Amino acid sequence: MKSNNLIWGIVLIFIGVFWLLENTGLVSISIIDSLFKLWPLILVVIGINVIFKDKKYVKAISWGVFFIIIILYGIFQPNSFDISNTLENPNFEYEMKENTKHGNLNLAVGAGNLKISSSKDNLVHGFISNPKVTSEVKYKNNDRDVTVTFKSPNFKTTDFGEISKGDKYDLYLNKEITWDIDADIGAMDGHLDFSNVKIDNLDIDCGASDLEVVFGDTTKRTSVDIDAGVSDVELTFPENVGVKIDLDGGLKNSNLKELNWIRDNDYYISPNYDEADKKIDVSIDLGIGQLVVNVR
């Protein structure tokens, strides 16, 4: 058998196995993405073949190792980009992948109206009125983890007036997976309904806002950090969930004393906190404004 025939036969076998694994769903990999990132290895393999041009087995092994590296990188690479674009269409939806168990939602948008609720089927769907907002969906760990990012151009946490107050953000998150949410938002009229959304961590930094957050009892433990300026914040908790609130800042106007919760320095603790199966720990730092806490 000629040397070239042997080499190309091995190459075709590896390519066939590679595509078979991907098409059958045994692995989630991208040959194009891997080849684009690791193409310099082709030069290395060619160099090895030039040096050992009389050794057929070296050529076969070098090409075999090359395709093994491509396959392994496609499986275990840290990040795999699925979607990255500008939201030219205000209505969008991103499909849920079968292996996905955990999501990260990153928001970096300016002033407007924000609504977050639950979705049954899609990973995320909704409506964003500003066509300049970019979206990115990034998977890793064989699609088990996904990061969804929405960002307005050149947004900074201090640019609270970058987007007009008429901008609208309606987001619906899949309720079957757990979420970590990091929201850097400007002056916002926000209604965040997490009654059916599994939230592990919620971090909100916002400007002058009117913010309403409704929590559910779908997660064993939820950590919440809210840092707001001149804002009115209303938090609603299920009565069966234990709640601990760490109140920082100069806020004086709240109904926490009226709830008859346990007071421990800067902490307000619901009477059922210790025995509750599910707990929500809140750290809130407000300037001038009002905090209202509801238990239902």
Side-chain angles (χ1 to χ4, degrees):
M1 181 182 294
K2 294 183 178 180
S3 175
N4 288 339
N5 291 339
L6 175 63
I7 294 172
W8 284 110
I10 292 174
V11 169
L12 291 174
I13 289 173
F14 273 102
I15 292 176
V17 171
F18 189 94
W19 257 312
L20 182 63
L21 290 173
E22 186 171 23
N23 290 339
T24 56
L26 295 177
V27 294
S28 178
I29 46 184
S30 171
I31 187 171
I32 301 300
D33 186 55
S34 299
L35 286 174
F36 267 114
K37 291 181 178 179
L38 299 182
W39 70 265
L41 282 178
I42 296 176
L43 300 180
V44 175
V45 174
I46 293 175
I48 292 174
N49 280 262
V50 170
I51 295 174
F52 299 96
K53 60 182 178 180
D54 296 328
K55 299 184 182 296
K56 299 179 182 180
Y57 69 92
V58 172
K59 294 181 180 180
I61 292 175
S62 62
W63 282 109
V65 171
F66 168 76
F67 281 100
I68 290 174
I69 292 174
I70 293 295
I71 293 174
L72 292 178
Y73 183 82
I75 298 173
F76 297 108
Q77 63 177 310
N79 296 308
S80 176
F81 290 91
D82 185 58
I83 301 170
S84 182
N85 56 27
T86 300
L87 287 173
E88 296 179 358
N89 187 341
N91 295 290
F92 64 90
E93 63 178 42
Y94 301 138
E95 293 183 0
M96 180 74 176
K97 291 196 175 183
E98 185 177 357
N99 293 339
T100 306
K101 302 298 181 184
H102 178 263
N104 296 285
L105 174 64
N106 297 325
L107 293 177
V109 295
N113 296 276
L114 173 65
K115 177 182 177 182
I116 300 180
S117 188
S118 62
S119 172
K120 182 179 180 181
D121 299 317
N122 294 306
L123 173 67
V124 181
H125 73 271
F127 174 91
I128 294 180
S129 62
N130 190 330
K132 294 183 180 180
V133 170
T134 59
S135 67
E136 181 180 79
V137 179
K138 185 188 300 182
Y139 284 91
K140 64 180 181 180
N141 297 330
N142 199 26
D143 298 338
R144 288 189 297 271
D145 300 300
V146 61
T147 298
V148 183
T149 302
F150 296 97
K151 185 177 182 181
S152 60
N154 302 318
F155 175 77
K156 298 178 182 178
T157 55
T158 54
D159 292 339
F160 296 132
E162 181 181 341
I163 300 179
S164 69
K165 292 185 178 180
D167 286 320
K168 187 176 182 180
Y169 308 88
D170 289 349
L171 306 177
Y172 298 87
L173 309 180
N174 189 280
K175 67 178 184 178
E176 300 300 329
I177 66 175
T178 58
W179 289 90
D180 288 338
I181 299 178
D182 186 357
D184 293 323
I185 54 182
M188 189 69 67
D189 181 6
H191 178 79
L192 315 182
D193 184 0
F194 299 132
S195 54
N196 292 313
V197 182
K198 299 176 183 178
I199 303 295
D200 280 342
N201 298 282
L202 174 64
D203 188 344
I204 300 175
D205 294 313
C206 59
S209 300
D210 187 357
L211 187 64
E212 180 183 356
V213 186
V214 179
F215 295 95
D217 60 356
T218 57
T219 308
K220 188 73 173 178
R221 192 142 200 162
T222 299
S223 176
V224 180
D225 189 348
I226 299 176
D227 189 350
V230 182
S231 302
D232 291 335
V233 177
E234 181 176 352
L235 307 178
T236 300
F237 304 98
E239 61 182 0
N240 63 310
V241 173
V243 180
K244 179 189 290 185
I245 297 178
D246 180 11
L247 187 60
D248 295 324
L251 180 69
K252 301 297 182 182
N253 190 5
S254 77
N255 70 330
L256 286 172
K257 293 181 180 179
E258 301 171 11
L259 295 177
N260 295 319
W261 285 9
I262 301 168
R263 177 73 184 274
D264 184 5
N265 294 321
D266 292 330
Y267 289 93
Y268 289 85
I269 306 170
S270 65
N272 66 334
Y273 184 82
D274 290 334
E275 63 268 18
D277 291 332
K278 298 176 181 180
K279 295 179 171 62
I280 299 177
D281 298 313
V282 181
S283 175
I284 184 164
D285 188 346
L286 297 181
I288 300 172
Q290 180 177 353
L291 172 64
V292 176
V293 176
N294 302 311
V295 178
R296 299 174 183 170

